Amino acid sequence: MNANTPPVFRFAPSPNGALHLGHAYSALINYHMAQEMNGRFLLRIEDIDRVRCRPELEQDLLEDLEWLGLEWEEAPRKQSEHFADYRDALDTLICESLVYPSFMSRKQIRDSVASKNQVGIQWKDDPDGSPIYPGLEREWTETEHENERNKQPLHTLRLNMIAAIEMLNSSISFRETGSGPENETGICSAHPEKWGDLVLARSDTPTSYHLSVVVDDALQGVTHVVRGRDLFHATSVHRLLQELLGLPEPEYHHHDLILADDNRKLSKSAGDTSLRALRNAGLTPQDVKKLIGILS
Ligand code: GLU
């Protein structure tokens, strides 16, 4: 970061459900950190999932954030309007021969892992709890890929993780000013290998969360990524993609998650207390801030 340019923070919600207290916490932490450092606060709408993200939820989300008292610069960046940017990044990785098409369905993946487990092979999960991709298409020839693509137009583009790590030829790390699930803080080693050959794009969604987040953080000039601890391990992938794409490295701060009463992670789908429900029940923004332990 240049000493003369202000730090840039962002809050990046997905309009696929109602914002809850966890979102309010993350948005407010970002906002306060930006204010304390005389920085900028940007908003990004992460709506690449054209099935689950809906315009009315986006409208509600903007209203909820305004109600909380947040102000953001410029019109928010909407990912669905920038698929070409993600395609460019994907093309860069394709040109480096780091991407291959894969054809196994979710069920085929599950069955393949189950049969490995049955013969005593302990197949690993990625940090999100999904099995590492067991398919072998990374070893196929161009012609084999082409033939299968003709038979099965629906496929998934994956990063060849081993090739990507080999290409970098040096270890990567990131600077963490919050903490990870095992209290990791300071300079943390990145371990992208824990994710296996992750998805970069699908034939029906021409990008993925990981790819779009690194492209956007760079294009928006984000210097400080502040988000929930559940995304700590994703940072390893983000750092790898930044290195492969020649993008700048932001500083990271992973904060506590606001948990439900039974210690579950709050989720949009489980209908956990939404900001809207609290507001309709008569709570004020100050009440919400007190509930999540921000401000007095
Ligand atoms: N869109 C992600 C979410 O709603 C946040 C991504 C990020 O902050 O990197 O969980």
Side-chain angles (χ1 to χ4, degrees):
M1 189 179 53
N2 185 316
N4 298 321
T5 50
V8 181
F9 292 76
R10 51 54 165 196
F11 177 58
S14 295
N16 56 11
L19 290 193
H20 53 59
L21 287 176
H23 297 107
Y25 185 67
S26 196
L28 286 162
I29 290 192
N30 264 288
Y31 190 68
H32 289 307
M33 284 176 82
Q35 282 187 326
E36 268 168 30
M37 293 173 71
N38 286 325
R40 302 171 57 203
F41 174 70
L42 309 179
L43 188 62
R44 178 162 83 229
I45 306 295
E46 300 211 325
D47 59 350
I48 54 171
D49 183 341
R50 304 312 293 140
V51 178
R52 292 175 60 222
C53 294
R54 300 209 308 271
E56 62 276 20
L57 291 172
E58 181 185 326
Q59 204 43 51
D60 287 355
L61 171 165
L62 296 174
E63 272 174 35
D64 287 346
L65 295 175
E66 269 173 32
W67 174 76
L68 270 181
L70 300 188
E71 284 171 23
W72 49 91
E73 271 185 33
E74 313 160 349
R77 179 174 167 95
K78 277 181 69 159
Q79 291 190 324
S80 59
E81 293 171 355
H82 299 281
F83 282 122
D85 290 333
Y86 315 130
R87 180 72 226 185
D88 284 349
L90 186 61
D91 284 343
T92 304
L93 299 174
I94 291 174
C95 284
E96 302 277 12
S97 304
L98 295 178
V99 180
Y100 67 89
S102 68
F103 301 94
M104 286 173 81
S105 65
R106 288 200 172 90
K107 177 167 179 345
Q108 285 171 321
I109 295 176
R110 268 200 312 276
D111 291 350
S112 160
V113 170
S115 58
K116 286 181 197 303
N117 287 339
Q118 258 167 16
V119 295
I121 301 172
Q122 286 297 317
W123 198 253
K124 286 207 174 114
D125 282 346
D126 71 20
D128 273 352
S130 303
I132 299 287
Y133 186 62
L136 294 174
E137 297 95 328
R138 79 178 75 78
E139 291 163 15
W140 292 8
T141 62
E142 274 297 313
T143 322
E144 285 171 316
H145 286 149
E146 211 39 58
N147 289 344
E148 195 63 25
R149 250 200 263 238
N150 291 335
K151 276 193 264 165
Q152 293 198 50
L154 276 185
H155 59 272
T156 301
L157 293 177
R158 291 180 182 271
L159 181 71
N160 183 336
M161 183 57 83
I162 292 175
I165 291 173
E166 267 173 20
M167 177 167 280
L168 283 190
N169 198 21
S170 66
S171 57
I172 40 175
S173 58
F174 57 94
R175 190 168 139 72
E176 170 68 45
T177 61
S179 59
E182 311 284 333
N183 281 328
E184 302 92 331
T185 193
I187 303 298
C188 298
S189 298
H191 292 290
E193 70 284 355
K194 288 189 179 165
W195 291 87
D197 290 354
L198 46 91
V199 174
L200 291 176
R202 299 180 188 277
S203 26
D204 53 355
T205 307
T207 184
S208 62
Y209 158 66
H210 296 301
L211 186 61
S212 11
V213 90
V214 295
V215 169
D216 284 346
D217 283 339
L219 286 174
Q220 292 191 289
V222 172
T223 57
H224 291 68
V225 172
V226 178
R227 59 189 178 190
R229 189 160 295 133
D230 51 339
L231 289 168
F232 178 82
H233 291 298
T235 308
S236 288
V237 173
H238 299 170
R239 286 289 302 116
L240 174 68
L241 292 174
Q242 284 156 0
E243 292 293 318
L244 294 172
L245 294 166
L247 303 175
E249 175 189 348
E251 189 168 289
Y252 288 88
H253 182 102
H254 292 91
H255 58 68
D256 295 342
L257 297 175
I258 302 281
L259 298 176
D261 291 341
D262 54 3
N263 268 351
R264 256 181 325 110
K265 211 176 110 179
L266 289 180
S267 84
K268 287 172 180 164
S269 45
D272 279 307
T273 320
S274 68
L275 290 182
R276 202 146 278 252
L278 296 171
R279 175 178 166 186
N280 291 340
L283 268 72
T284 65
Q286 286 307 321
D287 296 331
V288 166
K289 288 177 191 171
K290 272 188 206 149
L291 264 180
I292 53 184
I294 287 191
L295 303 183
S296 46

